[in-house]
């Protein structure tokens, strides 16, 4: 038998005073997520379909993406940066070295005994964090690259990467977040567009694709049909809002990328998911041409950007850079 509980009106009023403000806060608050969110949230959907290679470093997730290529993912922070270890017969290339929050060289040593050369898709801090751990680094012959390699990034430049809401600290129990910075690194050789990297029975073509940064590049493996595209394309919001953004250059680059994507079997981006459909890059070029012509209209986004949403990917473009597209139009 059950009994019906009754409450004094004063008790109900008191409860409402305390409950409703808290309920409203949860609905309307736009504060950063709690520190534990990056530890609790599941991995990005799609990663579970890939063959994972276990290593001793819990910060990284390593996936075999075929043709002696490993995606070295850092999924426990908001950047979700991905580097790639590409193996040839005689040598290996590490395309991007990540955040520098944990030692990527230790992971690489667990994956291969081959001598390793480093090359970066561009020199933003989340892609060169581990460069200083390696003795042989190729780099684009650009002033932007020279500056970033020589000075790295000081703590004040990257401290937002290690805010409590930005990553899962329990994956890095010995991380010194109070002094986190990106170390300078020595460049062994400066290269340019069209440079061929011979790994032994495997050749990679370097393709200059400036726009996101002046030193942005892609890689193409004709034999495997693999096309690495750095930050110039990935599933998610493609950011063209940094100080070094050049939309006129990006328009040319994404059309070049479309040409290579049309020949590729797989596209391998530097964020979020390690494998993308080449058709998405072809679509990205087509819609960016429409943005440049004024046929596509964006909506206001965060930090004075315009957002152009196309489903699996979007363009987030700084409004201050939009005149570059107007100036690039032919009369």
């Amino acid at each position: 038998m059950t009994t019906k509980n009754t409450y004094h009106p004063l008790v109900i009023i008191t409860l409402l005073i305390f409950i409703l403000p808290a309920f409203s806060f949860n609905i309307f608050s736009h504060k950063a997520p709690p520190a534990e969110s990056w530890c609790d949230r599941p991995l990005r959907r799609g990663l579970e379909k890939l063959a994972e290679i276990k290593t001793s470093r819990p910060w990284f997730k390593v996936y075999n993406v075929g043709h002696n290529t490993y995606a070295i993912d850092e999924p426990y922070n908001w950047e979700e940066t991905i580097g790639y270890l590409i193996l040839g017969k005689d040598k290996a290339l590490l395309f991007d070295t990540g955040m520098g929050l944990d030692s990527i060289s230790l992971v690489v040593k667990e994956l291969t005994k081959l001598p390793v050369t480093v090359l970066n898709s561009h020199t933003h801090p989340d892609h060169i964090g581990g460069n200083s751990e390696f003795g042989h680094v190729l780099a684009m012959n650009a002033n932007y690259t020279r500056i970033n390699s020589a000075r790295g990034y000081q703590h004040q430049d990257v401290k937002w990467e290690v805010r409590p809401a930005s990553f899962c600290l329990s994956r890095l129990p010995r991380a010194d977040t109070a002094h986190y910075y990106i170390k300078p690194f020595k460049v062994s050789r400066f290269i340019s567009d069209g440079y061929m990297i011979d790994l032994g029975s495997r050749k990679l073509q370097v393709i200059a694709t400036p726009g996101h940064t002046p030193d942005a590049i892609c890689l193409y493996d004709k034999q495997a049909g693999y096309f690495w595209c750095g930050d110039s394309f990935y599933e998610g919001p493609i950011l063209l809002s940094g100080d070094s953004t050049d939309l006129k250059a990006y328009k040319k680059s994404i059309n070049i990328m479309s040409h290579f994507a049309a020949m590729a079997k797989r596209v391998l981006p530097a964020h979020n998911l390690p494998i993308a459909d080449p058709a998405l890059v072809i679509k990205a070029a087509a819609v960016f041409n429409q943005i440049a012509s004024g046929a596509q209209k964006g909506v206001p986004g965060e930090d004075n950007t315009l957002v152009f949403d196309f489903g699996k990917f979007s363009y987030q473009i700084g409004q201050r850079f939009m005149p570059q597209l107007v100036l690039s139009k032919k009369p």
Side-chain angles (χ1 to χ4, degrees), residues 50-97:
L50 302 176
E52 183 179 353
I53 308 299
K54 297 294 185 180
T55 72
S56 63
R57 314 302 294 184
W59 175 251
F60 299 97
K61 287 279 188 180
V62 177
Y63 301 98
N64 186 339
V65 292
H67 283 281
N68 290 317
T69 303
Y70 298 95
I72 305 177
D73 190 6
E74 298 181 73
Y76 300 107
N77 72 102
W78 78 276
E79 294 275 17
E80 296 184 74
T81 305
I82 307 170
Y84 293 90
L85 182 65
I86 307 164
L87 306 183
K89 181 181 178 181
D90 305 318
K91 302 174 184 177
L93 181 78
L94 181 59
F95 193 50
D96 284 344
T97 61

Side-chain angles (χ1 to χ4, degrees), residues 263-324:
M263 301 185 290
K265 296 176 182 177
R266 281 187 172 179
V267 166
L268 300 101
H271 289 282
N272 300 340
L273 290 173
I275 298 175
D277 186 345
L280 289 176
V281 177
I282 297 170
K283 179 180 178 180
V287 297
F288 195 84
N289 291 336
Q290 293 173 358
I291 293 171
S293 71
Q296 290 280 353
K297 303 299 181 183
V299 298
E302 296 180 349
D303 300 323
N304 297 313
T305 60
L306 287 176
V307 178
F308 302 81
D309 193 345
F310 303 101
K312 286 191 174 182
F313 70 91
S314 62
Y315 282 111
Q316 188 169 321
I317 302 175
Q319 293 191 37
R320 62 190 171 119
F321 297 114
M322 292 300 291
Q324 295 177 354

Side-chain angles (χ1 to χ4, degrees), residues 212-274:
H212 177 68
T213 63
D215 60 352
I217 63 170
C218 295
L219 287 181
Y220 181 57
D221 181 338
K222 182 178 180 180
Q223 184 177 4
Y226 277 24
F227 183 58
W228 292 265
C229 56
D231 278 14
S232 295
F233 177 84
Y234 48 83
E235 292 190 29
I238 300 167
L239 303 181
L240 296 170
S241 55
D243 289 342
S244 58
T245 295
D246 185 333
L247 298 185
K248 182 179 179 181
Y250 183 82
K251 179 185 175 184
K252 181 178 179 180
S253 294
I254 192 63
N255 282 284
I256 291 171
M257 290 168 59
S258 176
H259 168 76
F260 282 94
M263 301 185 290
K265 296 176 182 177
R266 281 187 172 179
V267 166
L268 300 101
H271 289 282
N272 300 340
L273 290 173

Side-chain angles (χ1 to χ4, degrees), residues 155-193:
H155 178 70
Q156 61 266 25
D157 301 322
V158 293
K159 61 184 180 181
W160 45 275
E161 297 280 20
V162 290
R163 293 178 306 171
S166 296
F167 73 118
C168 176
L169 182 60
S170 68
R171 292 268 168 176
L172 294 163
R174 282 177 272 184
D176 184 5
T177 57
H179 301 94
Y180 170 66
Y181 70 104
I182 305 299
K183 295 179 181 179
F185 59 93
K186 183 178 180 181
V187 175
S188 306
R189 181 174 183 175
F190 286 99
I191 62 174
S192 57
D193 182 38

Side-chain angles (χ1 to χ4, degrees), residues 6 26 40 44 78 143 191 196:
T6 58
N26 289 333
D40 296 341
R44 182 174 288 270
W78 78 276
N143 287 336
I191 62 174
M196 297 297 295

